[in-house]
Amino acid sequence: MRLSKDKLDSLCKIRDKSGSRFYEFSTSWWALFFFFILVSGCVLWNQLIPFENLKFDPYPFNGLRTVLALMGAIQTPLLLLYSRKSTDYRKHLLEQDFELEKKIFKKIEIMEREMRNNHNEYLHELKYFSKMNKKMNRKRNAIKLEQVTDKKDFISLEQTQRDSLQAKKTEKNENMTA
């Protein structure tokens, strides 16, 4: 009988899930408590029960040792197998993280390059605007000086006009009094 690829894949998934669950249980605190209770229960039962016919494994506990040895013999290869699978899975996750970090690093480099270019453009524009601002300040100062000199000229012109009007008034007054 030949198994189809789908059935084989589903059996492999079931095997992996059951094995990983067994691995998770075997490496947990619950398994430790379970085996501790099992061993202590067997020892206490066989030591403390007063009826000899109910004891199933007397003092040297050969049956308990045999069961524990068989469980260890079965658990050891399974635990080693699934610990290797878990390390392979972790390795795969680390590779994915590494690829993601490489992508992020490339994006960061691109952003830094863009920021550097934008910074250089900003500095260039800042220099241009500072030059323009200096030119505008020079022109403003020149215009203010012209206005000040114009005002002085205006004031001096006004003063001369007043003086000439005053002189004419005094001449009229002198002519009238004369």
Side-chain angles (χ1 to χ4, degrees), residues 110-166:
I110 290 169
M111 289 174 67
E112 283 179 345
R113 203 174 310 122
E114 288 177 359
M115 286 176 57
R116 236 180 272 120
N117 290 340
N118 290 342
H119 181 70
N120 290 337
E121 288 176 15
Y122 172 74
L123 287 177
H124 180 70
E125 288 178 3
L126 186 64
K127 287 178 184 176
Y128 174 75
F129 284 121
S130 66
K131 286 179 185 177
M132 293 301 290
N133 193 16
K134 286 179 184 177
K135 285 181 183 178
M136 288 177 65
N137 284 338
R138 281 188 216 131
K139 286 183 181 179
R140 251 190 243 133
N141 290 339
I143 290 171
K144 283 182 183 177
L145 283 175
E146 286 176 13
Q147 287 177 349
V148 168
T149 57
D150 287 346
K151 284 182 183 177
K152 286 180 182 176
D153 290 343
F154 180 73
I155 291 172
S156 62
L157 179 66
E158 195 173 275
Q159 187 68 31
T160 55
Q161 285 177 352
R162 272 194 215 141
D163 290 342
S164 66
L165 283 174
Q166 190 71 23

Side-chain angles (χ1 to χ4, degrees), residues 25-93:
F25 174 73
S26 296
T27 56
S28 68
W29 285 100
W30 293 107
L32 183 67
F33 291 135
F34 171 74
F35 290 121
F36 178 75
I37 289 171
L38 177 75
V39 170
S40 61
C42 287
V43 169
L44 290 175
W45 180 269
N46 288 313
Q47 287 295 326
L48 299 179
I49 196 151
F51 306 109
E52 285 295 319
N53 59 352
L54 292 178
K55 291 182 180 181
F56 58 87
D57 192 19
Y59 166 64
F61 308 115
N62 289 330
L64 181 62
R65 276 193 243 158
T66 306
V67 168
L68 290 175
L70 286 173
M71 286 176 61
I74 291 170
Q75 268 186 338
T76 304
L78 288 174
L79 292 176
L80 288 173
L81 174 74
Y82 282 97
S83 70
R84 192 182 85 221
K85 280 192 174 187
S86 68
T87 55
D88 290 344
Y89 179 70
R90 287 188 196 122
K91 183 180 175 184
H92 177 69
L93 288 178

